[in-house]
Amino acid sequence: MPAHRRAAVAVLVLGVYLQVVEWIDLHPWNDVRTGNGQERLDLMLAPLTVMLVAWMWTSRRWAQLTASLALLLWAGLQVTTWWSPYVWGATPGWKRVHARWFADTVQVLPNDGVHLPPDANHLVLQLLIALALTLSAMATWAGFRRPAP
């Protein structure tokens, strides 16, 4: 399978995983029993993901670059949202958010009440983002190294 299609499949898997954990109650994997607090964003991301995957499937260069940049931005958001509070300690606001949405989910990393880790759901999400970003970046590189078909 060509690199751009492997990247498209990775983005599709990421998008499906995101929609499943945002809408389907899999407690204690996630905690969406009373909603997830970002329903509008999730509704916007679903068709955008489908369009991006279709574009990535049929195109090599600009679709892969667009996906890579979007995934890099998303990875940065994950680092600032989850890993900064885990490494340096959570703010009072993040402690409230964590207590509301994530305290009752599967935890893998140690939690001392100050250094709040990503829950298992978000660890899997972050691994899928990293995989999709890696494959998209590789496809971008490959697409720009050879002439367009």
Side-chain angles (χ1 to χ4, degrees):
M1 181 182 302
H4 69 286
R5 291 197 171 159
R6 283 193 304 270
V9 169
V11 170
L12 179 62
V13 169
L14 171 61
V16 169
Y17 177 81
L18 177 69
Q19 293 300 319
V20 166
V21 298
E22 291 294 304
W23 294 103
I24 299 172
D25 180 18
L26 302 171
H27 192 266
W29 188 252
N30 61 4
D31 192 354
V32 296
R33 294 172 289 184
T34 59
N36 68 23
Q38 59 182 35
E39 289 85 355
R40 285 186 186 153
L41 175 61
D42 296 329
L43 287 171
M44 289 187 312
L45 286 175
L48 288 173
T49 301
V50 171
M51 288 186 304
L52 181 59
V53 167
W55 190 30
M56 292 172 73
W57 189 264
T58 60
S59 177
R60 290 190 176 102
R61 293 181 176 175
W62 297 106
Q64 306 309 322
L65 181 60
T66 300
S68 296
L69 293 174
L71 290 162
L72 185 61
L73 180 66
W74 195 4
L77 181 63
Q78 292 295 311
V79 168
T80 58
T81 302
W82 286 103
W83 291 100
S84 293
Y86 186 52
V87 172
W88 290 290
T91 64
W94 182 247
K95 287 180 184 179
R96 286 189 299 275
V97 168
H98 194 276
R100 165 67 179 95
W101 297 104
F102 310 110
D104 197 27
T105 60
V106 175
Q107 302 290 319
V108 178
L109 299 172
N111 177 348
D112 66 5
V114 175
H115 300 271
L116 304 175
D119 61 354
N121 169 20
H122 281 85
L123 287 174
V124 170
L125 179 70
Q126 292 161 4
L127 288 172
L128 291 173
I129 292 169
L131 176 64
L133 175 56
T134 300
L135 292 174
S136 291
M138 290 170 61
T140 299
W141 179 255
F144 280 101
R145 280 194 4 224
R146 62 182 171 287

